[in-house]
Structure formats: structure tokens, C-alpha cells
Amino acid sequence: MSILDNLKKIKTELPSEVTIVPISKTHSPEQIMEVYAGGNRVFGENKVNELVEKYELLPKDIDWHFVGHLQRNKVKYIAPFVGLIHSVDSMRLLVEINKMAKRNERIINCLLQVHIAEEDTKYGLSSDELKQTLSSDAYKNLTHIKVVGLMGMATFTDDMEQVRKEFRSLSVLFKDVKSNYFSNSNDFSILSMGMSGDYGIAVEEGSTMVRVGSIIFGDRSYGNK
Ligand SMILES: *Cc1c(COP(=O)(O)O)cnc(C)c1O
């Protein structure tokens, strides 16, 4: 099957309201163009340098999402064009994104990343930190970012009940935050959870956006750098 067929297959499996974000990291511009030619316009990358290189090379109507850990000193490179940042995990990062968005005269859509996995290696805010952030005056003063939802990554494990439990906890938190902090706006609508190994469970638990790489583009350990 071609990579475009892989994407089409996932599309037929999922409800139409779930957005599929093909994660193209390590894969070539030619491979991305194959998926682009099939009509897909959204792609995700997890490294700033790689994202900027691909942005410069590829058609400008691509909606580029950033999904990796973002260092504050690199926000300026993606601020002119990034469509959605999935991985905002601190107030300081949000402040920097706001500053660079303002400099570029745009509003940048952001997801706040929540720590749901058991490992302490995964980035993200705790639910308390999330609520503190959203209640703070500093947050209310940010004019050039829009928080449009939450993102989370489950523990890397074969224990699918564990994964389901983590996604479910994020889904509950999402609804709680939506009704307590965004009750008078429809902007808060994205729950980004699910990757190649667990997107089915994520969607069952309420995901509205899945970030899938290897099941579309193939294994990252072979070929393309
Ligand atoms: C690489 C990556 C993905 C996609 O991973 P696959 O297992 O290849 O689907 C999703 N989210 C983030 C944050 C990633 O870095």
C-alpha cells in the first residue's frame, strides 16, 4: 500500500469529525508531497529546524502543526507560519509564543500539554498547574495566543488498559476545563491524543485529533535519515 492508501485507510476507520494529523518527521518532502497530492493539507513535525526547512521547501498552504518539545529560544523561527502548537507545557513558553505572535501580527493557536503518563520523562502540566495557568492574570493578558484545547501522550506500554485509563482521565479533565474556563466560547474544542499505536483507543475515549506518523509513512528507523 502507498502512504496515501495508509492515510485513506485510517480515515475510513475514524469518525469524520476526528482530524488526522500525519506526523512527517524524518520523512522526505517527496513523501509529504505524495500525501499532499491526495488532498491532505495538515502535517505535524516535532523539531523546529526540520519544520522550518520543510516549510520553506513545500507549498505554503500546508497547515503545519508543531508537536514536539518546544524551547523558548526557538519559538521565533516557527511563529511566522505555524498553525497549531500542540505542546505548550509552561506559562513561560506561552508568554514567549504570545510575544512572537504579536511581533508577527498574528494569533497563534495553542494546545496545553497535560502530563498523563506514568513515566516522568514525558513533558506536560499537571491538572493543578493547568488550572492555575488558566486562572492567572498573566494568562488573561495574553492577547496573541488562543488556547484551543489540550494534548496528552499516554505511557509507552503494551498495557492497553493503562493507556485507556490515561486517555480517559485527560478526556474528563478536558470537559471540566471546557465548562469551567471556556464556557462562553467555542474555541476550546480540540483534544489531541492518540498516536500510531493507540489512536483507536484515544478516539473511543473522546479524542478529536490524532497524531499519526509511522502507520502512514512507515517505520522511522529505516531509510530517510
Ligand atoms: C512522533 C510523534 C507522533 C507520531 O508517532 P507515531 O507513533 O509514529 O504515530 C505523535 N506525537 C508526537 C508528539 C510525536 O513526537
Side-chain angles (χ1 to χ4, degrees):
M1 283 219 303
S2 73
I3 53 184
L4 189 54
D5 290 335
N6 294 337
L7 174 59
K8 284 184 185 154
K9 181 164 179 290
I10 301 163
K11 255 192 194 134
T12 61
E13 288 170 16
L14 297 179
S16 57
E17 60 275 14
V18 174
T19 304
I20 300 167
V21 183
I23 305 298
S24 47
K25 63 191 190 197
T26 77
H27 298 291
S28 68
E30 291 73 20
Q31 286 171 303
I32 295 173
M33 280 312 290
E34 211 177 308
V35 179
Y36 179 93
N40 181 77
R41 290 294 178 271
V42 57
F43 292 94
E45 290 282 336
N46 74 334
K47 297 231 160 53
V48 168
N49 296 351
E50 189 173 346
L51 172 54
V52 170
E53 268 176 37
K54 287 173 175 170
Y55 166 73
E56 285 170 358
L57 221 55
L58 290 165
K60 293 298 174 283
D61 64 344
I62 291 178
D63 177 16
W64 287 107
H65 289 195
F66 188 80
V67 301
H69 182 63
L70 182 55
Q71 290 171 290
R72 275 179 297 140
N73 62 356
K74 294 195 171 171
V75 173
K76 57 177 176 283
Y77 302 116
I78 62 171
F81 66 89
V82 71
L84 179 64
I85 301 175
H86 288 234
S87 43
V88 179
D89 59 359
S90 72
M91 188 62 199
R92 292 169 78 201
L93 177 58
L94 205 54
V95 167
E96 180 65 16
I97 296 168
N98 184 71
K99 182 173 149 191
M100 290 303 153
K102 193 170 179 185
R103 189 170 291 176
N104 286 280
E105 299 179 338
R106 20 188 340 245
I107 290 179
I108 296 181
N109 289 334
C110 296
L111 303 178
L112 296 177
Q113 183 173 356
V114 181
H115 180 97
I116 53 170
E118 282 204 323
E119 307 119 300
D120 20 280
T121 50
K122 296 235 162 97
Y123 297 102
L125 300 161
S126 68
S127 57
D128 285 345
E129 287 167 337
L130 171 67
K131 289 175 183 179
Q132 278 162 21
T133 300
L134 294 173
S135 320
S136 69
D137 287 334
Y139 167 73
K140 286 167 193 149
N141 289 331
L142 301 176
T143 51
H144 286 70
I145 54 100
K146 195 188 274 176
V147 171
V148 294
L150 302 180
M151 184 272 239
M153 291 169 83
T155 304
F156 188 68
T157 172
D158 290 336
D159 180 353
M160 287 302 149
E161 280 315 304
Q162 172 74 24
V163 168
R164 185 180 295 280
K165 203 175 77 189
E166 292 170 2
F167 285 152
R168 188 166 294 174
S169 72
L170 184 58
S171 198
V172 167
L173 181 65
F174 175 77
K175 287 177 192 136
D176 170 15
V177 166
K178 187 174 171 64
S179 62
N180 285 297
Y181 298 88
F182 296 93
S183 56
N184 47 18
S185 122
N186 289 323
D187 294 338
F188 192 85
S189 59
I190 300 174
L191 179 53
S192 167
M193 57 183 197
M195 304 174 29
S196 290
D198 55 21
Y199 70 90
I201 296 174
V203 170
E204 282 169 17
E205 296 302 331
S207 171
T208 69
M209 188 173 272
V210 296
R211 310 175 309 273
V212 287
S214 42
I215 52 163
I216 295 175
F217 291 100
D219 200 317
R220 283 183 293 272
S221 46
Y222 302 101
N224 327 285
K225 45 175 182 186

